[in-house]
Amino acid sequence: MAAKDETGNAKHMAMPHHHCIPPDPYAYLPQVSSFVLDSNDARDGEPLDPKFAHSWSAGSRDNSPELHWSGFPKETCSFVVTCYDPDAATGSGFWHWMLVGLPPTTVALARGAGNGGDLPKGAFHIRNDLGGKAFLGPAPPKGDRSHRYVFAVHALDVAALDVTEDMSPAFVGFNMGYHTLARAVMRPTFAL
């Protein structure tokens, strides 16, 4: 039964979900080799600066952090960059970013690259779980525990996945799984 306000109308109540910690999204996928993902803006296991948060939760501009990577397999034909929140209370997590079609010569993304800008030829954003084709900054419910924001760079054995920008991140992830040679992961956190 929905909670009601003083007028008897149903109202939305944010319910923190402190009772469980979902597994890491890559823990149950086939294991692949790893390489190095680093950032001048984010650190593994440390809180993200609020300037990278979602605009309506922290007054930010949904700027993606700077990312750079190295040590990937020489057979790499393209990269996919993703950001996923496994701690969102949805039963399926929440996709914040998916950028596909990056050529193997791309080894860094500038701060804000998730908002479009000068992407390499053939690269494009898949819609995030809010429906936009861009990076969506962290926006956990106020008072909830810190959420993990799993940034990953996936090295693929194909130059282009057979996907379009309107497909769901889960579908793209399914297709990507068959072509992943290696993966680099960083897990900064965020809470309001």
Side-chain angles (χ1 to χ4, degrees):
M1 176 179 275
K4 304 208 184 244
D5 65 16
E6 307 78 46
T7 64
N9 295 321
K11 65 178 182 175
H12 170 73
M13 292 181 59
M15 300 295 288
H17 61 287
H18 299 284
H19 60 280
C20 66
I21 297 177
D24 184 278
Y26 301 113
Y28 298 105
L29 292 180
Q31 294 300 298
V32 296
S33 63
S34 63
F35 56 101
V36 177
L37 172 60
D38 206 353
S39 174
N40 296 320
D41 295 327
R43 298 283 176 262
D44 192 57
E46 294 183 17
L48 278 167
D49 189 291
K51 66 185 169 193
F52 300 108
H54 183 49
S55 56
W56 52 262
S57 66
S60 176
R61 290 196 166 103
D62 293 300
N63 279 323
S64 56
E66 181 275 340
L67 301 172
H68 54 274
W69 53 93
S70 61
F72 48 88
K74 63 180 180 179
E75 301 84 12
T76 299
C77 295
S78 68
F79 294 107
V80 173
V81 175
T82 61
C83 179
Y84 175 77
D85 174 4
D87 300 311
T90 64
S92 61
F94 197 93
W95 286 99
H96 284 258
W97 191 22
M98 187 170 277
L99 175 56
V100 304
L102 291 168
T105 53
T106 302
V107 294
L109 291 172
R111 181 187 297 173
N115 298 345
D118 296 325
L119 295 177
K121 183 178 179 182
F124 60 94
H125 292 95
I126 301 295
R127 64 180 173 84
N128 58 46
D129 276 347
L130 199 58
K133 294 171 185 155
F135 174 76
L136 178 68
K142 189 168 184 156
D144 206 358
R145 63 176 162 73
S146 285
H147 285 210
R148 295 164 291 167
Y149 292 88
V150 183
F151 286 85
V153 179
H154 312 262
L156 306 185
D157 64 4
V158 292
L161 290 172
D162 187 18
V163 299
T164 68
E165 63 185 11
D166 292 315
M167 293 177 171
S168 73
F171 182 79
V172 175
F174 175 79
N175 284 279
M176 185 173 58
Y178 290 100
H179 296 287
T180 302
L181 296 169
R183 184 180 300 115
V185 181
M186 178 189 329
R187 300 169 182 87
T189 63
F190 190 76
L192 290 173

